[in-house]
Amino acid sequence: MRILALESSCDESAAAFLEIEGGRILHLEEVVATQAIHAKFGGVVPEIAAREHSVTIPHVLDVLAQKVVGVADGRKLGEAIDLVAATRGPGLITSLKIGLETARALAFAWGKPFVGVNHIAGHVAANWLSGAPLEFGTVADAEAFPALALVVSGGHTELLLMPRQGEYRLLGATRDDAAGEAFDKTAKLMGLGYPGGPKLAALAKHGDMTAFEFPRPMINEPHYDFSFSGLKTSVRYFLDKNTERFSDDKFMADVAASVQSAIVETLVAKAIRAAKAEGVKTIALAGGVSANVELRETLVREVSRKLPDVRLSLPDFRFCTDNAAMIAMAAYFRSEGGKKFDDWTDAGADAGWELGR
Ligand code: KG4
Ligand code: ZN
């Protein structure tokens, strides 16, 4: 089965081609273009993002066609596709529409079935793109579920229980800022620029995570919700009191490491508790913040120490932040391997689409 997927929910314009046969990935091609323009505004500006997508989506499609059929020819690309997919939500409504409406029009023009994908389901599906340990196919699937997905992106922080592939039950979510936002906002307070997550993580490498004590909100409460806005406020007060130390590289690295540690510890503690309570076989990390090395290493350490029988899946670094390969993979699961499709005439953008509620 050959899938074309488009992703445009935020500030990445992406297209991918995924060929799956007999439970094996035979061929994967992808193109991702990140919109650089938002850096000067310190965050994604929705109206600008949508305009950029309308310029970039045709280009990524062209480049993808060259990779897949050797020429930027839509008719030839159409002949090489069995299923067209796109992100329907959640995300920025006008941005979503650019990729989604392009995909729907292609499905109609090519006479191919269409599947609209949930962006978070895409992040989770990225775990199945990397091969081991979640190779799909019936045996591996039986061993993988029930699974727990720890979703940590710029807009979402969620613990999702997956009784089986494609089924989600929300155990808990952030009540305010997402984990990615906590990284981005504290990075901004520290003057590190945008996008702040990777910058804060890079600075934290040289710092001492025990240097300063920042709050770990709700870490010991029995529910699975998160709250990161208090952490941001506490960092702001702390920085306001220490402005004269901003030029001290060691101080800034220590702050970065301490903030990162507060976020990571909270995420890992709740995920371990939920995994234990639900008796899952797998913990799968998902979303842009899954690229964070401290989070990955802490999960590896804590899962092997506290849940030695649970398998931990970490997506490949190239599939952590927004991309279309993960959307193609999720489309494969949503279509149940090419058996169930959405009506393309009735698959409009759903900016607030929530999984598992
Ligand atoms: O999943 P994603 O690409 O977009 C959304 O769906 O939101 O996630 C983007 C988020 C941003 O907040 C970014 O700062 C964060 O992921 N991020 C990181 C790292 N790489 C990306 N946060 C911490 N450490 C990283 N290495
Ligand atoms: Zn995302």
Side-chain angles (χ1 to χ4, degrees):
M1 181 180 189
R2 300 159 305 169
I3 305 168
L4 170 84
L6 296 183
E7 153 67 37
S8 66
S9 64
C10 192
D11 59 342
E12 264 87 22
S13 308
F17 171 87
L18 177 67
E19 182 173 9
I20 297 177
E21 221 53 81
R24 287 266 165 263
I25 293 175
L26 300 185
H27 189 178
L28 173 64
E29 297 285 357
E30 57 162 345
V31 188
V32 186
T34 301
Q35 301 176 357
I37 191 167
H38 304 287
K40 68 176 174 201
F41 303 109
V44 178
V45 183
E47 171 66 18
I48 294 174
R51 290 180 189 206
E52 288 279 305
H53 284 303
S54 68
V55 174
T56 315
I57 283 284
H59 283 294
V60 298
L61 256 176
D62 250 20
V63 175
L64 187 78
Q66 288 172 42
K67 288 183 165 202
V68 176
V69 292
V71 52
D73 181 326
R75 192 180 49 80
K76 286 215 171 88
L77 182 62
E79 286 165 4
I81 301 294
D82 304 307
L83 172 67
V84 181
T87 308
R88 268 187 65 212
L92 304 170
I93 183 77
T94 46
S95 288
L96 282 166
K97 277 173 175 284
I98 309 297
L100 176 64
E101 307 308 356
T102 305
R104 289 164 84 194
L106 286 175
F108 177 57
W110 291 340
K112 305 287 170 155
F114 174 81
V115 165
V117 173
N118 181 291
H119 181 80
I120 301 302
H123 276 301
V124 175
N127 282 279
W128 277 263
L129 278 172
S130 318
L134 288 180
E135 261 171 276
F136 60 95
T138 48
V139 178
D141 270 7
E143 286 166 10
F145 297 100
L148 177 78
L150 171 59
V151 179
V152 281
S153 74
H156 290 75
T157 299
E158 292 175 352
L159 281 166
L160 289 164
L161 180 68
M162 296 174 70
R164 57 188 64 80
Q165 186 59 265
E167 228 177 81
Y168 309 88
R169 187 156 68 76
L170 187 70
L171 299 179
T174 184
R175 295 184 183 176
D176 40 60
D177 291 347
E181 263 177 304
F183 271 101
D184 293 341
K185 288 180 177 174
T186 43
K188 197 170 184 175
L189 290 172
M190 295 171 72
L192 300 180
Y194 177 87
K199 291 191 168 136
L200 191 137
L203 184 59
K205 270 193 214 148
H206 314 288
D208 171 6
M209 67 171 83
T210 62
F212 306 111
E213 183 75 21
F214 291 114
R216 276 111 171 106
M218 298 181 182
I219 195 165
N220 292 317
E221 291 180 26
H223 57 74
Y224 300 125
D225 282 352
F226 301 89
S227 166
F228 289 109
S229 66
L231 169 65
K232 175 192 64 199
T233 309
S234 144
V235 173
R236 175 181 294 135
Y237 285 140
F238 178 79
L239 290 173
D240 283 351
K241 275 194 246 146
N242 289 282
T243 45
E244 76 290 351
R245 297 178 75 184
F246 269 42
S247 53
D248 175 350
D249 292 347
K250 174 78 175 93
F251 170 79
M252 294 303 267
D254 285 350
V255 175
S258 302
V259 169
Q260 175 173 263
S261 161
I263 298 170
V264 165
E265 233 183 75
T266 310
L267 294 171
V268 173
K270 294 243 167 184
I272 298 266
R273 181 134 34 87
K276 204 179 244 175
E278 298 294 335
V280 301
K281 293 182 180 157
T282 306
I283 298 176
L285 185 62
V289 183
S290 63
N292 186 272
V293 173
E294 177 63 21
L295 175 59
R296 295 167 83 98
E297 288 178 353
T298 308
L299 267 175
V300 169
R301 201 174 54 239
E302 292 298 294
V303 171
S304 75
R305 192 188 304 168
K306 296 184 175 143
L307 299 167
D309 297 332
V310 171
R311 96 174 70 193
L312 174 66
S313 173
L314 307 171
D316 267 12
F317 281 104
R318 68 184 175 124
F319 301 129
C320 289
T321 46
D322 291 350
N323 64 86
M326 70 184 198
I327 301 303
M329 193 71 232
Y332 178 82
F333 292 135
R334 185 169 165 89
S335 75
E336 293 177 8
K339 293 196 283 288
K340 274 177 60 183
F341 310 110
D342 293 326
D343 174 359
W344 77 271
T345 63
D346 190 30
D350 184 354
W353 186 3
E354 289 182 301
L355 272 190
R357 278 200 202 260

